[in-house]
Amino acid sequence: MSTDVTAIVLLALAGFLLGGAYSLFKNSRPIAIGLGACGVLAAVGAVLYMTH
C-alpha cells in the first residue's frame, strides 16, 4: 500500500472510532474511553506515518 492510502485508512479508522466513542459516552463510559483512546492512537499513527 502506498503511504497516502495507509494514512487515509488510519484517519478513517480514527474517525470511526471517535464517532463510536462519542455515541457511547452516555451509555457505557469505559467502552467509550477505550474507543476514544484507540481513535487517538490511530490519528496519531496517521499523522506520524504522513510525516515519516
Side-chain angles (χ1 to χ4, degrees), residues 7 9-15 17-18 36-50:
V9 168
L10 280 173
L11 284 175
L13 178 64
L17 290 171
L18 290 173
C38 290
V40 168
L41 286 175
V44 168
V47 170
L48 289 176
Y49 202 83
M50 285 189 287

Side-chain angles (χ1 to χ4, degrees), residues 5-48:
V5 173
T6 305
I8 290 171
V9 168
L10 280 173
L11 284 175
L13 178 64
F16 182 74
L17 290 171
L18 290 173
Y22 179 76
S23 68
L24 280 175
F25 191 72
K26 287 186 180 181
N27 296 330
S28 179
R29 287 190 184 200
I31 295 174
I33 291 170
L35 283 176
C38 290
V40 168
L41 286 175
V44 168
V47 170
L48 289 176

